Amino acid sequence: MEPIAWQALMDRLALFSDAANPDIVQVETGYKPITTKPYIFANFIPREYESGLIDHDCGEDFRGILNISVCVPTAWNYAQHAGLARRVANWFKYGAKYYYNDNAVSIYQRSKIIGAPRLDGGHNRLEVQVWWRIWG
Amino acid sequence: MARYRNGQKRGTTTSFTKVVRDSSERFMADAESVYQETNKILYDRLEEETPKDTGHLAGSLVATVSGNVESSGPTNVTTGEGSGRAESYMNIDSAKITDKINFFYRATYFLYVNYGTVNMRGRFWVERVRAEYPSIARAVARRYGLKVK
């Protein structure tokens, strides 16, 4: 189920459009950041989750986090940076469902910006976390 | 309501409330033990999963009560893995059920290792271990004969 969840979320992320025009990068691609251009980097964290429900043969609950690193040129100020991060977080709304091959992955918590920005190469970086679940 | 034995009035509301009070105190004590033990296991799991090169990062892991860093005293992060455990356990033992227990790494490069950098993949062990919390709590509660939803 994890690849399905990943694909559904990546399909959604690919549609993200913003005036800042960031590059959208998936983990395990050989992307070389350009210091003058923002980029968002998606990483996938499936988590072990003990389902509280009796499942028998009805499937299982899979949950995890889509970690999106929002990286902007150091010339940007924090308001601009956090603004872009918030727009990315809002792109995955609480309660929304995204589909891949008729499988729905749903967002079961509000997407959040995690922690303070930090310097990473030629960019400042903030983490956005999107909490997903899929049944299958 | 009063209880009667051999026609004589025995129990009173006082003894009834005592029973309720005693059992509720016992329940609170058990719940507190579950809370503390769960957090100790979580501490161990976090330390276990922390990537180790020198052990400095794992050794810098500290648990405090209600984010009160100073009260926990300085942790010797130079002695490597396990160095924060004694103090963290002590802090967790002092935690009441209404307290918030905070875990953090004193090593400031924690963020770079957990979330990654442009040159290094994120390891995300904090997110993975945090997901284990409900299962740990349930298992500990079962040992004490309590139920956790």
Side-chain angles (χ1 to χ4, degrees):
Chain A
M1 295 312 286
E2 289 89 347
I4 291 170
W6 166 255
Q7 203 51 59
L9 293 167
M10 284 308 98
D11 287 352
R12 172 67 181 166
L13 188 61
L15 298 174
F16 179 73
S17 66
D18 191 85
N21 195 24
D23 286 339
I24 296 169
V25 187
Q26 298 183 9
V27 67
E28 295 183 11
T29 51
Y31 176 75
K32 296 270 178 274
I34 305 158
T35 47
T36 51
K37 199 170 192 312
Y39 69 98
I40 54 182
F41 181 83
N43 219 318
F44 199 61
I45 319 166
R47 309 200 309 168
E48 272 186 40
Y49 177 75
E50 186 188 312
S51 173
L53 301 168
I54 299 170
D55 43 45
H56 295 293
D57 291 329
C58 307
E60 263 184 70
D61 195 14
F62 293 81
R63 297 190 190 195
I65 295 173
L66 176 68
N67 193 90
I68 305 172
S69 306
V70 179
C71 306
V72 303
T74 47
W76 285 33
N77 64 30
Y78 178 67
Q80 291 170 305
H81 190 181
L84 177 60
R86 183 31 65 195
R87 290 194 294 280
V88 171
N90 286 349
W91 191 241
F92 295 91
K93 286 226 184 295
Y94 169 65
K97 283 184 180 166
Y98 307 112
Y99 293 86
Y100 183 76
N101 275 358
D102 289 339
N103 289 288
V105 55
S106 59
I107 309 302
Y108 73 97
Q109 274 189 37
R110 281 193 68 190
S111 305
K112 295 182 185 80
I113 299 173
I114 304 290
R118 61 186 198 280
L119 201 58
D120 179 21
H123 290 79
N124 276 317
R125 179 168 173 148
L126 262 178
E127 310 297 336
V128 168
Q129 291 195 334
V130 176
W131 305 65
W132 58 264
R133 70 187 291 187
I134 190 167
W135 186 271
Chain B
M1 187 191 275
R3 287 182 289 117
Y4 288 86
R5 189 183 298 162
N6 299 330
Q8 282 207 314
K9 194 173 173 184
R10 307 290 290 187
T12 61
T13 312
T14 317
S15 63
F16 173 71
T17 52
K18 187 177 179 312
V19 169
V20 172
R21 195 179 57 234
D22 286 353
S23 67
S24 101
E25 272 171 11
R26 227 179 10 252
F27 172 78
M28 281 309 288
D30 282 352
E32 215 151 82
S33 303
V34 169
Y35 182 53
Q36 290 165 355
E37 206 172 306
T38 303
N39 279 287
K40 281 183 198 166
I41 294 172
L42 192 72
Y43 178 92
D44 290 347
R45 286 288 299 125
L46 271 173
E47 197 190 44
E48 226 170 71
E49 291 292 320
T50 306
K52 291 168 194 80
D53 185 5
T54 61
H56 179 90
L57 183 58
S60 77
L61 176 63
V62 185
T64 66
V65 175
S66 304
N68 192 356
V69 185
E70 269 66 44
S71 73
S72 71
T75 296
N76 183 359
V77 296
T78 57
T79 52
E81 192 186 343
S83 61
R85 184 181 290 135
E87 282 150 294
S88 298
Y89 271 28
M90 224 157 60
N91 290 335
I92 293 170
D93 277 337
S94 72
K96 304 276 170 241
I97 196 131
T98 47
D99 287 333
K100 187 176 176 185
I101 296 174
N102 295 76
F103 292 86
F104 66 93
Y105 289 89
R106 286 182 188 248
T108 47
Y109 60 88
F110 150 73
L111 285 173
Y112 293 94
V113 185
N114 191 55
Y115 295 107
T117 69
V118 66
N119 298 317
M120 182 176 72
R121 287 271 169 77
R123 308 288 280 272
F124 301 109
W125 74 91
V126 170
E127 280 72 15
R128 281 187 285 108
V129 173
R130 202 167 58 182
E132 295 173 13
Y133 191 88
S135 322
I136 297 170
R138 262 196 294 272
V140 176
R142 261 198 299 270
R143 273 214 302 275
Y144 282 84
L146 301 175
K147 276 186 182 173
V148 175
K149 275 185 103 179

